[in-house]
Amino acid sequence: MKALILVGGFGTRLRPLTLSVPKPLVEFANKPMILHQIEALKAIGVTEVVLAINYQPEVMLNFLKEFETKLEIKITCSQETEPLGTAGPLALAREKLIDDSGEPFFVLNSDVISEYPLKQMIDFHKAHGGEASIMVTKVDEPSKYGVVVMEESTGKVERFVEKPKIFVGNKINAGIYLLNPSVIDRIELRPTSIEKEVFPKIAADNNLYAMVLPGFWMDIGQPRDYIVGLRLYLDSLKKNSSSKLATGPHIVGNVLVDETAKIGEGCLIGPDVAIGPGCIVESGVRLSRCSVMRGVYIKKHACISSSIIGWHSTVGRWARVENMTILGEDVQVCDEIYSNGGVVLPHKEIKSSILKPEIVM
């Protein structure tokens, strides 16, 4: 079986992290975002993953080479010369995706994090016999999204309603699809949207079915959702395999700590924290709802909440970093500095407090 991951463009919503690496390589819960998906695909028997990409394919492929060997899965790139939307990349990768087997293939949006119930999706797809299956997830505020209107009993999709003013349903496209090869015949090689142009036509032919995603779902393509996604992911880890989570008197709630990280005396860490490889956390530090990436140095009595600390950054003594502060790679926050929602570009030194959310060039 094969799969296409829609990697797309520049990852502007996750800047300044994406100024250092392409977005799918930004770590989420101590693992590059895209690796969560590749591992899930490998686990259900996918043998080849195609990355649809229009930005820095060399960086991506060089990085993924080691995982190709480790996971024993073929990873190739299909490079766009112009952005082709969410459907065009399927037409571009046609030769890579279609073989003589006639098997369906997966398509995933690279920003989506979930428990990836791909095995159930294959069973669902076989059972309904239609041309395409999409995963949908329930949301509290459907008016912000495109809503999928479907028959509850069969999952057959009737229509799509973009940002409905009145309630038509609470299920939205979760960005995970299983498609028969014939779907590619419906797509022209031009910038085109699978959600707005391709799926409505398949639905009109009574050939599109939706499966409600069990468990959590989040699009982690922007910082606030990334932090919420981390909480949901760690919750799910606790339910399924809590041996990966840290324990001890200084841990509160769900916390993931890489085995090479060092944590000092008298710290209080959690809930919802990920600490990456090679990090040093000195004594008396308080961390909650944050992601601390590889090689970060947090000095004594610093306090970090609801923030993302980029690779090899340093947070000074008694510094306070909160309210969706995002530090790019190699940022130095001096002692006793306060950051309230600062978004700091790589290689900067912060010598004075950031009192309200702003971008520090």
Side-chain angles (χ1 to χ4, degrees):
M1 243 185 138
K2 297 185 178 183
L4 179 82
I5 300 180
L6 295 166
V7 173
F10 301 109
T12 50
R13 297 179 304 162
L14 262 191
R15 281 182 183 159
L17 301 170
T18 48
L19 295 173
S20 299
V21 297
K23 182 171 60 179
L25 300 186
V26 172
E27 286 91 350
F28 174 81
N30 292 352
K31 193 190 293 180
M33 285 184 192
I34 200 165
L35 209 54
H36 290 272
Q37 298 185 328
I38 293 174
E39 286 178 355
L41 290 163
K42 165 70 183 172
I44 52 112
V46 168
T47 52
E48 184 175 346
V49 175
V50 181
L51 308 178
I53 193 167
N54 60 27
Y55 175 60
Q56 292 188 324
E58 313 77 23
V59 182
M60 286 284 291
L61 276 180
N62 290 341
F63 179 86
L64 291 166
K65 273 284 167 276
E66 83 175 89
F67 294 105
E68 200 173 34
T69 322
K70 206 185 281 182
L71 296 172
E72 297 175 347
I73 189 167
K74 186 176 175 192
I75 301 172
T76 58
C77 266
S78 170
Q79 192 185 357
E80 305 163 30
T81 48
E82 60 167 336
L84 289 173
T86 50
L90 277 73
L92 186 66
R94 181 189 188 106
E95 303 306 317
K96 293 180 190 282
L97 289 172
I98 293 186
D99 53 25
D100 302 335
S101 72
E103 277 190 317
F105 57 90
F106 281 102
V107 177
L108 286 84
N109 179 341
S110 71
D111 292 353
V112 165
I113 196 86
S114 74
E115 286 170 13
Y116 305 116
L118 305 177
K119 175 77 178 72
Q120 292 102 297
M121 197 174 192
I122 294 172
D123 297 341
F124 173 77
H125 187 75
K126 284 181 179 155
H128 68 63
E131 196 176 356
S133 301
I134 66 173
M135 203 84 88
V136 294
T137 186
K138 292 179 183 172
V139 291
D140 296 332
E141 286 187 60
S143 60
K144 297 192 325 200
Y145 303 94
V147 171
V148 181
V149 182
M150 57 190 266
E151 267 177 28
E152 291 299 323
S153 55
T154 61
K156 185 191 279 186
V157 175
E158 293 168 4
R159 65 187 199 281
F160 295 84
V161 183
E162 194 56 42
K163 297 185 178 162
K165 295 279 184 286
I166 55 166
F167 185 84
V168 291
N170 64 348
K171 296 180 189 69
I172 65 163
N173 178 347
I176 301 172
Y177 320 129
L178 186 55
L179 311 176
N180 286 354
S182 58
V183 171
I184 295 189
D185 298 334
R186 295 173 173 267
I187 302 170
E188 294 173 36
L189 183 51
R190 61 177 176 85
T192 167
S193 160
I194 200 163
E195 302 86 356
K196 296 193 172 95
E197 297 176 60
V198 181
F199 287 156
K201 286 179 184 159
I202 303 176
D205 294 345
N206 294 319
N207 252 329
L208 181 65
Y209 289 80
M211 172 182 150
V212 180
L213 180 80
F216 79 98
W217 175 88
M218 199 71 211
D219 177 327
I220 55 171
Q222 52 193 349
R224 200 169 291 280
D225 296 338
Y226 176 106
I227 294 292
V228 173
L230 184 60
R231 171 173 63 79
L232 298 172
Y233 175 83
L234 294 176
D235 264 350
S236 154
L237 264 194
K238 186 170 180 66
K239 285 192 195 92
N240 297 325
S241 58
S242 62
S243 63
K244 290 183 182 171
L245 295 171
T247 52
H250 59 298
I251 300 289
V252 183
N254 299 331
V255 175
L256 198 59
V257 180
D258 187 88
E259 56 191 18
T260 61
K262 293 186 171 57
I263 294 177
E265 300 281 300
C267 292
L268 193 56
I269 294 175
D272 310 321
V273 173
I275 299 175
C279 291
I280 296 173
V281 178
E282 289 190 343
S283 60
V285 165
R286 176 76 180 103
L287 303 177
S288 63
R289 296 180 305 283
C290 62
S291 182
V292 178
M293 296 192 175
R294 188 181 59 251
V296 165
Y297 180 23
I298 301 174
K299 296 187 181 175
K300 290 177 185 172
H301 306 293
C303 178
I304 301 172
S305 68
S306 302
S307 296
I308 303 174
I309 311 300
W311 312 270
H312 307 290
S313 290
T314 301
V315 177
R317 290 179 184 201
W318 296 102
R320 187 178 183 96
V321 172
E322 62 186 26
N323 190 21
M324 296 316 304
T325 290
I326 316 294
L327 304 184
E329 182 181 16
D330 178 38
V331 168
Q332 315 298 319
V333 175
C334 294
D335 295 352
E336 300 180 29
I337 290 295
Y338 172 56
S339 171
N340 172 20
V343 173
V344 185
L345 272 66
H347 316 298
K348 298 295 293 181
E349 185 179 15
I350 302 298
K351 293 178 179 168
S352 56
S353 289
I354 300 167
L355 301 177
K356 61 180 199 301
E358 61 174 298
I359 296 171
V360 179
M361 308 287 277

